[in-house]
Amino acid sequence: MIFKELNKPYIIAEIGCNHNGNTELGLKMIKSAKDCGADAVKFQYFTKENLFTEQYMSDLDEGSVKIENIDKWETKELNLDGVSEQIDEFINDKEQLGVFKKYCDDIGIDFGCTPVDADGVYFLKEINSSFIKLASMDADNLEMIEAAIDTGLPILISTGMADLQEIDAVYNLFKSKKFDNFSLLHTVSIYPPRDEIVNLNFIDTLNALYDCEIGYSDHTLGFSVPLAAIGKGVKVIEKHFTLDKEMFGWDHKVSADEKDLKIICEEGNKVYRTLGSSYKVLSPEEIEKREKFRRSATLNVDVRKGHVLTKEDFVYKRPGTGIRPGEIDYVLGRKFKNDTKKDKTLLLSDFD
C-alpha cells in the first residue's frame, strides 16, 4: 500500500484497546469494521513497563494524575480497580496481535498497529504489518521514527502536540532517508477536543508545505468532522472504533460505533468523489443538457423572404440548438432567405 497512490479515502478503524483485551471481541470488531467499509483496523502495542515510570503509574492509580480517557474507576462487571489493572486486562500482547493480523489477512482488511518502542517496531516488521502508526507522543522522537523507517513498512505519524518546527524535523527526517511512503496526520491530542481547536484549515498549510500525503486522525465525537476533513481533500482518515460507546474502557466514548463508521466510509467516499478537479470541467452530461436547457433566438412573428431581422422580431426560448444570445449580433440586420413562421428556432442557415 502506497499512500501517495490512494485514489479514494483510506479509512482506518482504530480499535486500539477497545476490545478490552478480549480476543473474541477483537475479532468481532475487525469483522464489523470490514463490514462497515473500513480499509484497515489499527491496534496498540505497549506495556506498563515500556510506557510509564512506576511513579507515574502510581499517580494514575491514585488519581493524582488524570488523562481525559484514562481514569481510575471500578466496575463490578470487570472487577478492576485502578489504571494499572486496566492496562493488565486491556492491552494486546504479541500472540493476540498475531491472531488479529492473520484474521485481517483472511478476510481482506489491512492491519496496522502503534508500537511505543523499538521492540514493537521490529515485531510489526516480523508479522508484516500493513503499516506502522506512530502516535503523537512520538512526533518529537526521531530515533523511534528512524527505527520505523528502517523496517521499510508504510508509516503514519500523528502530529498532535507538535509545533511546526517539530513537524518540519519529522518531514525532513523522512526526506533525508529518501523514504516517501508516509503520511503526516493532522491531530489534536485531546479526547474529545473543543470544536474551536480542531483547526481543520491547518490541513491546507500542511499540504502547501510538504510533499507527502496529509491525513487526519480524529478524536471528536460523531462523524461530521472526519467528513469535513475528507471535504478538504484528505485521503487518510483514522477514527477510534467501538461496538458500544457505553462499554467500560478508555476510548469508547470518543469512538465511532458501527452506525458512525458506516456513515464515515460511505459518505466519505461520496464526498471525495464530489471534489473533482480544481478546474472547471464540463461533463458530457452537462454538454448534452445545454441543447435542451439553454435558449435560442426564436421568431415571435411571421416574416417574409427578404425581411431584415430586428430585435423586435424574436425572443429567446428553448431548445438551445439555434442561434444563442451571444451570437445574435451575427444575424441582426441580415435578410431572411425564405418565408419563415412564428416560433421558429433561428439558425444561421436561415439568413443570406
Side-chain angles (χ1 to χ4, degrees):
M1 189 260 300
I2 301 174
F3 292 121
K4 290 188 78 172
E5 294 181 359
L6 292 173
N7 57 13
K8 60 180 283 298
Y10 185 78
I11 311 296
I12 303 167
E14 156 81 272
I15 295 175
C17 295
N18 272 355
H19 64 311
N20 289 359
N22 185 303
T23 300
E24 291 305 313
L25 178 56
L27 294 172
K28 183 178 179 181
M29 293 178 75
I30 293 170
K31 180 63 164 59
S32 176
K34 165 78 172 178
D35 291 344
C36 289
D39 300 283
V41 293
K42 202 220 78 177
F43 291 88
Q44 297 169 7
Y45 178 48
F46 66 93
T47 66
K48 288 184 297 188
E49 290 73 25
N50 66 13
L51 190 56
F52 308 103
T53 65
E54 289 185 10
Q55 183 60 55
Y56 190 83
M57 191 75 257
S58 177
D59 291 341
L60 282 172
D61 274 335
E62 293 172 2
S64 58
V65 170
K66 293 181 182 293
I67 304 175
E68 304 101 319
N69 57 331
I70 300 179
D71 204 351
K72 178 179 179 181
W73 47 261
E74 299 180 11
T75 75
K76 293 180 181 178
E77 291 86 348
L78 297 178
N79 194 30
L80 299 176
D81 182 10
V83 178
S84 180
E85 290 188 16
Q86 295 173 37
I87 292 174
D88 288 337
E89 183 74 15
F90 291 168
I91 59 173
N92 302 283
D93 59 26
K94 289 182 178 180
E95 181 179 357
Q96 191 177 59
L97 289 171
V99 171
F100 292 156
K101 171 62 166 63
K102 183 180 184 304
Y103 185 61
C104 287
D105 291 343
D106 290 344
I107 68 171
I109 187 171
D110 287 350
F111 170 94
C113 187
T114 295
V116 300
D117 62 8
D119 175 68
V121 169
Y122 302 142
F123 169 69
L124 295 179
K125 171 65 173 177
E126 180 183 326
I127 65 173
N128 194 29
S129 181
S130 302
F131 58 86
I132 292 174
K133 163 65 194 301
L134 298 178
S136 290
M137 64 182 174
D138 285 316
D140 67 340
N141 188 346
L142 300 185
E143 184 176 337
M144 179 78 168
I145 297 168
E146 189 166 352
I149 291 172
D150 288 343
T151 68
L153 295 174
I155 298 171
L156 299 168
I157 181 164
S158 286
T159 59
M161 303 180 289
D163 59 31
L164 197 52
Q165 184 176 1
E166 290 171 324
I167 298 172
D168 271 340
V170 171
Y171 177 80
N172 290 334
L173 175 60
F174 281 118
K175 290 301 181 180
S176 70
K177 292 290 185 178
K178 296 182 171 51
F179 186 88
D180 290 324
N181 197 8
F182 70 97
S183 176
L184 301 175
L185 307 186
H186 173 52
T187 316
V188 177
S189 297
I190 303 294
Y191 296 75
R194 292 178 289 110
D195 292 347
E196 294 79 7
I197 66 173
V198 174
N199 199 21
L200 287 185
N201 283 336
F202 186 59
I203 291 170
D204 299 331
T205 302
L206 292 173
N207 273 316
L209 289 175
Y210 304 123
D211 180 23
C212 66
E213 193 63 51
I214 301 301
Y216 174 64
S217 180
D218 185 63
H219 299 138
T220 67
L221 302 179
F223 52 80
S224 58
V225 178
L227 295 180
I230 293 172
K232 295 186 77 66
V234 162
K235 293 200 287 288
V236 179
I237 292 287
E238 181 184 49
K239 178 73 176 178
H240 284 275
F241 177 57
T242 184
L243 298 185
D244 182 358
K245 294 180 184 180
E246 300 304 316
M247 191 183 300
F248 294 110
W250 301 327
D251 294 321
H252 298 285
K253 285 182 170 54
V254 297
S255 298
D257 58 17
E258 291 170 299
K259 180 180 177 182
D260 293 334
L261 183 60
K262 192 168 185 179
I263 289 173
I264 292 170
C265 293
E266 293 181 355
E267 297 302 311
N269 278 286
K270 179 178 180 179
V271 167
Y272 190 79
R273 288 194 299 271
T274 67
L275 294 180
S277 169
S278 57
Y279 298 97
K280 174 64 175 178
V281 179
L282 286 176
S283 66
E285 294 91 338
E286 271 196 298
I287 292 172
E288 179 182 353
K289 193 169 184 177
R290 284 195 301 199
E291 293 188 353
K292 300 174 183 176
F293 271 66
R294 283 190 168 178
R295 294 186 286 172
S296 305
T298 306
L299 276 177
N300 61 4
V301 292
D302 293 339
V303 297
R304 304 298 297 269
K305 177 181 177 180
H307 178 78
V308 174
L309 181 69
T310 68
K311 289 186 176 181
E312 288 72 32
D313 295 331
F314 64 88
V315 292
Y316 292 108
K317 293 184 180 182
R318 290 178 180 173
T321 54
I323 297 170
R324 296 178 295 174
E327 299 171 334
I328 197 64
D329 287 344
Y330 292 111
V331 293
L332 280 173
R334 292 174 61 177
K335 295 179 179 179
F336 281 86
K337 290 181 178 178
N338 302 295
D339 294 347
T340 307
K341 293 290 187 179
K342 177 182 177 180
D343 213 36
K344 165 76 164 58
T345 298
L346 295 178
L347 307 172
L348 289 176
S349 58
D350 291 323
F351 299 92
D352 285 329

